[in-house]
Amino acid sequence: MISALKNLGRRIPDWDPAKLLAFFILADLLAFALHGLHARDILPSRFFHIARDRGFGELVQYLKFGVVLAVLARWRRQWPARLVTAWFILFAVMLVDDALGIHEEVGGWLLSDPGAHWHGVRLKDLAEAVSFAALEGSAFLWIAVCHLREAPARRGFSWAFAAALAPVIFCGLVLDVVRAPLVESAGEMAAMTVLLATVLVQHRRRARAAA
């Protein structure tokens, strides 16, 4: 099983990026459609709620992270650089955090009272945001260090990644704090698809430049 997953991961960067992107756009639309059916009680399971942890929508997000990591794993083999490794680490941390709900668990440990509020903001959400910032922020600081040490001509992809990542962080962090779960989940899905597209475009450019 592990060997099969490794072989799949090695082949993913060679797949047609347009078809990959089209697949995930359709998957996003399917997630929205299934949520609509759930909201009308046609699909009663909360698995189809778009904001459900480990629900259908989040599974689609995990797959996007998997493709991004597969592409960056290829980069690490072909163009070894600390900056590429740093981005790989950040996306791996984000995937593990999303899948295991680490920042939610830590936030609940820091402040377990779900009813505590401050100026209309639930303090437990702020605690989760702090743990998110500490976990993903540490990885991003390492990216910043590697980015500054990299030659200017070799860090163009890093600027593109950072620009595409910003909406993902905004949806997952800011919208979570202001308690807009549907907007947060829908926005995060769309933003993650844009990030995936950015990674695929940068991968295609690198492959053409190396050919």
Side-chain angles (χ1 to χ4, degrees):
M1 180 67 177
I2 294 178
S3 177
L5 289 175
K6 286 182 178 179
N7 289 332
L8 177 63
R10 293 191 185 101
R11 292 198 299 269
I12 286 175
D14 297 321
W15 293 354
D16 186 337
K19 291 180 179 178
L20 265 176
L21 195 57
F23 169 81
F24 281 109
I25 290 174
L26 290 174
D28 287 347
L29 293 175
L30 177 59
F32 298 144
L34 292 174
H35 173 77
L37 293 175
H38 168 73
R40 290 168 176 79
D41 293 325
I42 298 173
L43 292 174
S45 173
R46 281 191 56 80
F47 176 77
F48 300 108
H49 193 289
I50 201 168
R52 172 75 171 178
D53 289 339
R54 269 71 73 187
F56 181 84
E58 275 210 358
L59 293 181
V60 173
Q61 296 290 79
Y62 300 160
L63 291 176
K64 294 174 191 176
F65 273 117
V67 173
V68 168
L69 290 172
V71 169
L72 291 184
R74 169 74 63 83
W75 284 24
R76 292 177 66 229
R77 290 194 298 270
Q78 294 182 340
W79 307 291
R82 285 184 179 178
L83 186 54
V84 174
T85 300
W87 276 105
F88 181 91
I89 290 172
L90 173 63
F91 290 130
V93 168
M94 291 178 70
L95 173 57
V96 172
D97 186 17
D98 262 4
L100 300 182
I102 295 174
H103 74 273
E104 288 98 338
E105 292 293 328
V106 174
W109 176 76
L110 290 174
L111 191 68
S112 58
D113 182 6
H117 287 73
W118 179 72
H119 291 285
V121 176
R122 197 171 69 152
L123 291 179
K124 185 175 181 293
D125 291 331
L126 285 178
E128 291 178 5
V130 168
S131 61
F132 179 92
L135 187 61
E136 274 82 346
S138 299
F140 197 80
L141 282 176
W142 177 238
I143 288 175
V145 171
C146 295
H147 182 95
L148 293 174
R149 291 179 176 177
E150 191 63 78
R154 299 183 61 185
R155 52 172 123 148
F157 81 92
S158 187
W159 287 115
F161 283 10
L165 180 63
V168 178
I169 300 300
F170 175 81
C171 292
L173 195 61
V174 178
L175 294 182
D176 183 52
V177 170
V178 300
R179 303 299 294 168
L182 292 180
V183 177
E184 173 199 349
S185 298
E188 197 169 356
M189 288 191 74
M192 189 62 200
T193 299
V194 172
L195 174 60
L196 173 62
T198 301
V199 172
L200 292 175
V201 167
Q202 293 297 319
H203 177 61
R204 176 56 65 92
R205 287 178 179 174
R206 281 199 169 214
R208 286 177 176 173

